[in-house]
Amino acid sequence: AQSVTQLGSHVSVSEGALVLLRCNYSSSVPPYLFWYVQYPNQGLQLLLKYTSAATLVKGINGFEAEFKKSETSFHLTKPSAHMSDAAEYFCAVSATSYDKVIFGPGTSLSVIP
Amino acid sequence: DTEVTQTPKHLVMGMTNKKSLKCEQHMGHRAMYWYKQKAKKPPELMFVYSYEKLSINESVPSRFSPECPNSSLLNLHLHALQPEDSALYLCASSQDRADTQYFGPGTRLTVL
């Protein structure tokens, strides 16, 4: 069975600082991995996804994530935080492209001016 | 058009009411989903329709009844709900089950 953990339910960074949101997964097969963002009172938006191509995945809004099989990790980074990045971020996993997506508990990102 | 729309945005209903949530997409997607999201929690999958047929029902209580009248529409019929059913209900769609899901803005449901 697949599962996802996100270290840190809440992360605060200063504007312009590095954003690092952690995600570790458990999967019996090479997984499909996703990062979604949810702004207040909105639905979820896909930031990026890993589907066994390049291990470094670039997404929208300057975010990227690196798949590290040895560490079972898929951490999300952005070099310089903007105020508009404040939102809830969900890491998610599915075993195959047809399996349901399992979401992690989420990390709330605050950006301090 | 890359948008999933949901109506209404907000809904307040009593435990004896019958109401429906509506979801619409015009992207030609053949898979559609209903999720339930409680505050500060991740979305939980409720139902998946693929080519207008129900393919996944995550053991959801029968007071929630999904319907897919055509490839663009997905409804969620609500009857005799409980206060603990209050949540944000999200609809999503994808080209098919294997593809990226696009989410609507959700309907915030309050059951009194």
Side-chain angles (χ1 to χ4, degrees), chain A residues 26 31 35 47 50 69-70 74 91:
Chain A
S26 171
W35 275 100
L47 282 175
Y50 168 78
K69 184 178 178 181
S70 61
F74 190 57
C91 184

Side-chain angles (χ1 to χ4, degrees), chain A residues 43-108:
Chain A
L44 277 71
Q45 181 182 11
L46 182 72
L47 282 175
L48 48 84
K49 68 176 181 181
Y50 168 78
T51 56
S52 74
T55 57
L56 183 62
V57 183
K58 293 189 183 299
I60 62 171
N61 301 341
F63 285 95
E64 63 181 37
E66 186 173 7
F67 173 70
K68 291 187 176 180
K69 184 178 178 181
S70 61
E71 298 177 8
T72 60
S73 68
F74 190 57
H75 301 331
L76 182 71
T77 60
K78 181 174 180 177
S80 176
H82 294 162
M83 296 299 293
S84 59
D85 294 327
E88 189 81 17
Y89 290 80
F90 293 99
C91 184
V93 65
S94 65
T96 71
S97 59
Y98 283 89
D99 273 326
K100 71 176 189 179
V101 175
I102 306 296
F103 288 89
T107 296
S108 178

Side-chain angles (χ1 to χ4, degrees), chain A residues 3 10 12 31 33 39 41 63 67 75 80-81 88:
Chain A
S3 66
H10 188 88
S12 291
L33 292 161
Y39 298 102
N41 300 312
F63 285 95
F67 173 70
H75 301 331
S80 176
E88 189 81 17

Side-chain angles (χ1 to χ4, degrees), chain B residues 7-83:
Chain B
T7 54
K9 289 193 69 173
H10 301 274
L11 178 63
V12 179
M13 61 187 289
M15 289 189 284
T16 58
N17 292 159
K18 284 186 181 181
K19 297 286 184 182
S20 296
L21 309 184
K22 179 179 173 181
C23 173
E24 195 164 4
Q25 56 86 14
H26 295 287
M27 296 179 277
H29 290 175
R30 304 315 299 264
M32 297 186 76
Y33 312 75
W34 279 116
Y35 288 86
K36 174 183 177 181
Q37 186 180 26
K38 302 284 271 185
K40 304 294 185 187
K41 297 290 186 183
E44 300 172 23
L45 183 65
M46 300 174 72
F47 303 103
V48 180
Y49 273 82
S50 182
Y51 290 84
E52 300 162 50
K53 293 193 186 311
L54 184 65
S55 60
I56 294 180
N57 177 340
E58 289 289 305
S59 302
V60 178
S62 60
R63 57 185 183 269
F64 295 91
S65 175
E67 179 197 19
C68 190
N70 60 55
S71 60
S72 300
L73 277 176
L74 185 66
N75 298 320
L76 186 63
H77 302 299
L78 314 173
H79 175 53
L81 293 192
Q82 304 297 310

